[in-house]
Amino acid sequence: MRLKFACSLLLLANAVVCTMVLKTWDSATQSKYTVPTYKATTQQNVAGIVANMIQIYCNGPTKMSQYSISSPLASAYNILNGQSSLTSPQFQSAQMMFILSLRDFHTSFVLPTPASCFTWIYPIALDLINSNDLLNNPVVVVKSTRYYQKEYIPSGFSINKGDIVVSINGFTPAKLFQKFAAAGGGANNYGGMRAVLSLFDTRSGAMYGPPSGTFVQYVLQRPDNSQYSYTGVVTAYYSDTCVDSAPTTASEDIENPIDTESLDPYRAEKIGARVEYEMSPPFANLNYQTTQDSTLSYTIYQSGTSKIGIIKISSFIPETTTNGQQTILNLVYSLLTNQLKDTEALVIDVRNNGGGLVSLADTLPQLFGGINVQPMRFRALVNEINGVLLNNWADWKTAYQNAKSKGLQYTSDLLSFTTYKDANNLGNYYSKPVGVWMNAKCYSACDMFVANMKDNGVARIYGEDPQTGAGGANVVDLSFLSYYAPTYFKNNLPGGQTMRLAWRQAVRKNGALIEDLGVSADMVVRPTQKDFIDTNSNSALDKIIADLKSRNNMGVAGISFSPNIPLTARSIQGEHFSFRGDIQNIKTIHLSARSENIAEFSFKDHQQFTNFLIADPQPSTQLGLREYEINGYDESGNLRLRQVRLHETIPPLSNFKKILFGAATELDFNSESYKSICTKGDKETVLAGWNVLDNVLQLGDGTHKYPNNLNTKFKAFIKIENYMGKKLIIKQLGAFEIEEGDHFSLNVKYITGKNGSFKDKILLKNYIGKGLLEDVTVQDLESEYLELSWEFKSNHLDLGEKINGPHLLSVSFSLINN
């Protein structure tokens, strides 16, 4: 869960600063923790919202059978009917414990401020190690001793990483897990264990109540089997501003603004308080190299004489805010074809990954060797409220109506959030054994990624726990529900309070659910005590690599393949597209375009590592993008390799529009000599993207509203005469009107080679909302050849009346001295 704090605004380098404090959880600090008094109407409204949410809670029926619990809907109505007799603290506690008892992190009752301002940190961070019975005899060790109040420790006393936890507050680990499983919220036995460990590690006040007191009692055991006791102090991490700004009496008059990002109906939210990941890094922290996006890192691990690639994905929510998913895909592709291309096997580390975007979990498996990847599918409960919600999307509306007509409990038409083409639109770029390293804190979209990797035969699954965390749902919060079904949900809760729930249930390729079951490990490999004591010990990873290396028939049919062109290649008009590389254990390669086979290459001795080149026999004549598909087959004719490549044809450099010093030069939108054809979504008509109508460059046909899921570019290619010491002024006459969440931008690339190679793209201007286009200046020109691109992307959301989008009446250039 993402924590939201009310922060003080301090003008320090124009930044918003949230001052957090860390104090002992003593009586003075405890007095700051309160729940505001709710007006009677507010409390009734909150209880009614919970009851309506539980009606569409997709996991309700399965939770009843999995945990033998009473009907969640009946429990919700019991609280609703009895809420008038409860004080505000009693009511909030009852709702919180009810939701936690469902053991579903996707469904949460976020407490109001000041309760949600707090996170509690225990003095010792904990982890699980190997034991003779992981379920009935779990062994817990000290992972780190970040806050164990060393100033109060007697001389010579120490707590060390790897010391075994005999008991906490008198409970052995097994008894602790049994006692607090329902209060921890984690699904299945192993997700439950990890959740309880979090309660005694870092506990978020947004969804949990506070610790019972200031102190926590540990009995610990050193490697020599000697035992000792330690009384630790719990600390509270919070913002004074958040606490002081909380209301004492709360009513529905305070409204929460709708976060438009939360209106995305195709997400699986990341869980886990941020402070937990900041202060409790996973063990065996290898020397990972960072990438452009902080959620993705990598290293090469030396195992004997072998080099093993490791890619760590810490979250399926990219830190890159614009086009983050494509950034991750590009970065992984780059790693596989460059830094990690000579490794003998690959381990993908998703331990402690709290989830994120379903679409990223669907599209990544293809890169690691997945062929014909089936994206994750979903279903929803059939009832009146879901009928209102699902009516907003044509495919779900049809699925709902079909299920209702048959009297089904769930929609039987399983639908994906990712198209089959998008799940397979890049192809395979690693051809050696692949393993996924997970634990039961791999949750939500992380569960789905592991399931996709296993179910599509891409990787072998290695687990610190026998199962992933078992969060198999698409999650939505109250702002989403109030936007699409305002009759049933009011999003004006006080004190920063909100709620969210598992709305649509994930169904794996094999028909199994993820919720509660998780994804089973092919091999369970827990760390040992030595791994925590000795920072150079990685016994679990060593076991994974030994097993992975023994499986030389894994990967893409055991082939070896090194392509020598980028994902998108460029050439000058009139040249041929060619594809080259080194390959082994592929008998035949087919090159096709628009599903038509246009070239074929067969290897006489396919068992030898061979260099090859295959090309389109026809030269490219039309400007723009063309998609090619490369398929490799074994000697039995089975498809073993598939890659998709885009080839962009640009005009000859001699045809670039010349921009002269001291004279304004206007673009002719209709000139084929420098216009690149736009790209569009699969389902859109030709007129959906950029079009020139009556000498106006506009989005669409001037009549219809622009569609969702559109990606279109209009490109102009220009040459700057004597560019050194000059700057280019781009004069634009036109307007834009775009929906929130959609993107319209003007970009430039400097072309540096005769084949159209270029430096990195530079953003000149980004437009949001509504307004007139402005003049843009390119300072300190770096090349005489430039590509200008007006790029427009729309997402899959309808957030109001659709509009026409941007249009350009004219574009002209003036070249002046710097």
Side-chain angles (χ1 to χ4, degrees):
M1 168 158 307
R2 295 178 172 181
L3 300 181
K4 296 183 179 179
F5 298 105
C7 301
S8 56
L9 300 181
L10 302 179
L11 297 179
L12 298 175
N14 296 319
V16 178
V17 178
C18 184
T19 305
M20 307 295 290
V21 296
L22 191 65
K23 293 184 178 180
T24 300
W25 184 239
D26 54 19
S27 57
T29 307
Q30 290 174 24
S31 66
K32 294 177 177 288
Y33 179 91
T34 59
V35 174
T37 301
Y38 278 9
K39 290 184 177 180
T41 55
T42 303
Q43 191 156 294
Q44 184 175 15
N45 177 46
V46 171
I49 289 173
V50 173
N52 284 343
M53 289 178 66
I54 295 301
Q55 287 192 55
I56 58 172
Y57 172 49
C58 66
N59 295 325
T62 54
K63 293 291 182 181
M64 292 170 62
S65 60
Q66 184 72 23
Y67 300 115
S68 301
I69 62 174
S70 60
S71 165
L73 187 57
S75 298
Y77 273 107
N78 285 339
I79 297 177
L80 173 62
N81 295 332
Q83 56 81 27
S84 60
S85 64
L86 300 176
T87 65
S88 292
Q90 289 172 337
F91 172 74
Q92 297 290 344
S93 178
Q95 292 286 21
M96 177 191 70
M97 293 307 300
F98 160 56
I99 296 298
L100 285 172
S101 71
L102 300 176
R103 301 186 65 166
D104 183 349
F105 281 132
H106 278 142
T107 302
S108 56
F109 181 85
V110 178
L111 295 172
T113 57
S116 61
C117 299
F118 288 84
T119 293
W120 296 277
I121 302 173
Y122 282 72
I124 301 173
L126 307 171
D127 210 332
L128 291 159
I129 62 172
N130 197 29
S131 69
N132 59 5
D133 188 336
L134 300 183
L135 181 59
N136 299 304
N137 185 32
V139 178
V140 175
V141 297
V142 176
K143 179 167 63 174
S144 72
T145 54
R146 54 195 174 196
Y147 291 117
Y148 81 102
Q149 309 292 331
K150 293 182 181 179
E151 61 269 31
Y152 302 118
I153 300 301
S155 176
F157 180 87
S158 66
I159 302 174
N160 298 306
K161 290 194 298 183
D163 285 357
I164 291 175
V165 178
V166 178
S167 67
I168 300 176
N169 290 340
F171 294 98
T172 66
K175 295 294 185 181
L176 194 77
F177 295 149
Q178 292 173 12
K179 178 177 176 59
F180 292 99
N188 73 38
N189 289 317
Y190 301 99
M193 289 181 185
R194 298 282 179 182
V196 172
L197 282 186
S198 293
L199 283 178
F200 292 89
D201 188 329
T202 52
R203 182 188 304 199
S204 167
M207 59 187 292
Y208 294 110
S212 57
T214 308
F215 302 101
V216 57
Q217 303 286 337
Y218 299 94
V219 175
L220 304 164
Q221 179 176 298
R222 295 190 174 96
D224 63 2
N225 294 328
S226 62
Q227 293 187 1
Y228 61 100
S229 300
Y230 164 63
T231 300
V233 178
V234 180
T235 51
Y237 184 66
Y238 63 96
S239 161
D240 277 319
T241 306
C242 180
V243 172
D244 295 341
S245 63
T248 55
T249 301
S251 70
E252 296 173 331
D253 297 332
I254 302 173
E255 294 191 6
N256 289 334
I258 292 180
D259 175 10
T260 54
E261 181 181 334
S262 71
L263 298 181
D264 186 342
Y266 305 113
R267 64 197 178 109
E269 185 67 37
K270 178 181 176 181
I271 64 152
R274 286 181 178 178
V275 68
E276 179 179 351
Y277 295 103
E278 291 171 359
M279 297 184 176
S280 302
F283 98 101
N285 196 10
L286 300 165
N287 185 26
Y288 287 105
Q289 303 296 307
T290 58
T291 68
Q292 179 184 329
D293 192 290
S294 62
T295 62
L296 184 72
S297 54
Y298 73 97
T299 190
I300 295 177
Y301 184 75
Q302 194 71 36
S303 176
T305 59
S306 302
K307 292 193 302 182
I308 307 299
I310 304 177
I311 291 178
K312 181 173 181 59
I313 306 174
S314 62
S315 171
F316 283 94
I317 300 179
E319 286 293 333
T320 306
T321 54
T322 301
N323 213 16
Q325 176 169 308
Q326 191 59 49
T327 297
I328 296 295
L329 292 171
N330 291 342
L331 288 171
V332 172
Y333 161 78
S334 180
L335 290 175
L336 297 180
T337 55
N338 291 286
Q339 293 92 333
L340 304 179
K341 69 176 182 178
D342 295 325
T343 55
E344 293 184 27
L346 180 69
V347 176
I348 305 168
D349 182 0
V350 291
R351 294 171 301 155
N352 305 327
N353 182 319
L357 303 177
V358 177
S359 54
L360 189 53
D362 283 339
T363 51
L364 271 172
Q366 60 181 310
L367 295 175
F368 302 111
I371 292 178
N372 298 327
V373 172
Q374 167 68 57
M376 190 61 58
R377 299 169 298 165
F378 294 82
R379 65 181 188 174
L381 283 170
V382 178
N383 54 48
E384 179 182 339
I385 300 179
N386 260 344
V388 174
L389 288 166
L390 297 173
N391 191 58
N392 290 281
W393 298 276
D395 51 351
W396 280 97
K397 178 181 179 180
T398 300
Y400 175 83
Q401 291 173 341
N402 289 343
K404 185 178 179 182
S405 67
K406 299 174 183 177
L408 301 177
Q409 185 180 33
Y410 286 93
T411 54
S412 57
D413 301 333
L414 301 179
L415 300 176
S416 296
F417 301 160
T418 306
T419 66
Y420 176 83
K421 180 174 181 180
D422 284 343
N424 298 278
N425 66 347
L426 297 173
N428 324 133
Y429 296 94
Y430 196 80
S431 55
K432 298 163 190 173
V434 177
V436 174
W437 192 9
M438 60 76 170
N439 61 13
K441 290 185 77 173
C442 166
Y443 190 81
S444 190
C446 184
D447 279 295
M448 298 176 199
F449 171 74
V450 177
N452 285 336
M453 293 290 281
K454 182 170 186 174
D455 296 349
N456 289 284
V458 184
R460 184 164 166 82
I461 310 303
Y462 300 93
E464 288 185 337
D465 300 300
Q467 299 161 293
T468 56
N474 162 217
V475 61
V476 293
D477 62 20
L478 185 57
S479 35
F480 174 94
L481 298 171
S482 65
Y483 185 88
Y484 288 106
T487 302
Y488 300 95
F489 304 100
K490 297 177 181 179
N491 186 41
N492 54 342
L493 301 187
Q497 185 166 35
T498 188
M499 306 170 203
R500 67 177 193 173
L501 85 157
W503 180 39
R504 293 180 287 193
Q505 196 171 51
V507 181
R508 294 171 60 178
K509 183 178 181 179
N510 61 9
L513 299 179
I514 290 177
E515 189 68 33
D516 299 316
L517 304 175
V519 182
S520 297
D522 296 313
M523 179 177 175
V524 179
V525 187
R526 273 220 178 137
T528 65
Q529 186 179 27
K530 182 182 177 182
D531 292 323
F532 291 88
I533 297 172
D534 181 358
T535 56
N536 294 317
S537 177
N538 282 306
S539 67
L541 181 58
D542 290 337
K543 290 176 183 177
I544 290 171
I545 290 170
D547 181 75
L548 198 57
K549 286 169 59 178
S550 71
R551 301 178 181 279
N552 56 13
N553 63 328
M554 289 186 64
V556 186
I559 68 169
S560 296
F561 179 61
S562 300
N564 294 332
I565 65 170
L567 278 175
T568 301
R570 290 182 135 203
S571 67
I572 302 298
Q573 192 173 23
E575 296 180 350
H576 297 258
F577 168 79
S578 61
F579 183 72
R580 66 185 68 218
D582 301 302
I583 200 164
Q584 185 179 19
N585 294 330
I586 287 292
K587 180 65 176 176
T588 306
I589 286 182
H590 291 177
L591 178 66
S592 61
R594 296 185 178 88
S595 301
E596 178 184 350
N597 193 30
I598 58 177
E600 185 176 317
F601 189 93
S602 295
F603 302 93
K604 291 182 179 179
D605 189 354
H606 63 279
Q607 296 179 345
Q608 297 296 317
F609 206 63
T610 307
N611 180 266
F612 75 94
L613 182 149
I614 188 168
D616 186 343
Q618 298 298 322
S620 57
T621 57
Q622 186 175 11
L623 300 179
L625 289 172
R626 192 180 194 196
E627 183 177 284
Y628 289 90
E629 186 173 311
I630 300 96
N631 291 319
Y633 300 87
D634 62 19
E635 56 188 345
S636 299
N638 299 312
L639 178 65
R640 298 303 187 189
L641 169 70
R642 180 180 177 274
Q643 289 193 356
V644 176
R645 298 288 173 144
L646 294 177
H647 180 248
E648 183 177 15
T649 301
I650 69 172
L653 300 184
S654 59
N655 284 7
F656 279 34
K657 187 76 172 182
K658 293 181 177 61
I659 308 300
L660 304 178
F661 181 78
T665 305
E666 187 169 343
L667 283 183
D668 177 3
F669 295 135
N670 289 294
S671 173
E672 288 294 338
S673 63
Y674 61 88
K675 185 183 73 175
S676 180
I677 305 302
C678 57
T679 60
K680 305 178 180 66
D682 290 339
K683 299 179 180 179
E684 311 305 341
T685 65
V686 173
L687 289 176
W690 286 113
N691 291 280
V692 180
L693 300 172
D694 298 326
N695 294 318
V696 175
L697 177 64
Q698 62 184 32
L699 208 61
D701 60 1
T703 302
H704 299 93
K705 310 298 183 182
Y706 71 76
N708 288 332
N709 296 316
L710 178 65
N711 182 356
T712 181
K713 302 175 184 179
F714 179 88
K715 295 186 177 183
F717 300 90
I718 61 176
K719 178 183 179 183
I720 309 297
E721 294 290 329
N722 301 316
Y723 72 95
M724 296 293 292
K726 305 291 192 303
K727 63 181 177 183
L728 182 69
I729 300 175
I730 306 170
K731 295 183 175 291
Q732 303 178 105
L733 181 61
F736 62 94
E737 185 178 4
I738 60 176
E739 187 180 72
E740 184 176 357
D742 297 341
H743 299 282
F744 172 42
S745 60
L746 173 59
N747 301 271
V748 64
K749 292 177 182 177
Y750 291 109
I751 296 177
T752 58
K754 293 183 179 180
N755 65 342
S757 57
F758 57 87
K759 295 183 179 179
D760 292 340
K761 181 172 71 174
I762 301 170
L763 173 68
L764 295 181
K765 186 69 176 178
N766 191 52
Y767 302 94
I768 58 175
K770 178 180 180 180
L772 298 177
L773 297 175
E774 302 171 353
D775 295 348
V776 179
T777 301
V778 186
Q779 303 277 2
D780 302 320
L781 293 165
E782 300 178 27
S783 171
E784 62 182 321
Y785 296 105
L786 279 72
E787 171 195 292
L788 296 169
S789 179
W790 287 265
E791 303 182 10
F792 182 82
K793 294 181 180 180
S794 61
N795 59 26
H796 48 250
L797 301 179
D798 286 322
L799 300 179
E801 178 65 24
K802 277 295 182 183
I803 39 194
N804 290 319
H807 66 272
L808 288 83
L809 302 175
S810 66
V811 176
S812 60
F813 304 99
S814 294
L815 189 64
I816 61 175
N817 289 320
N818 279 326

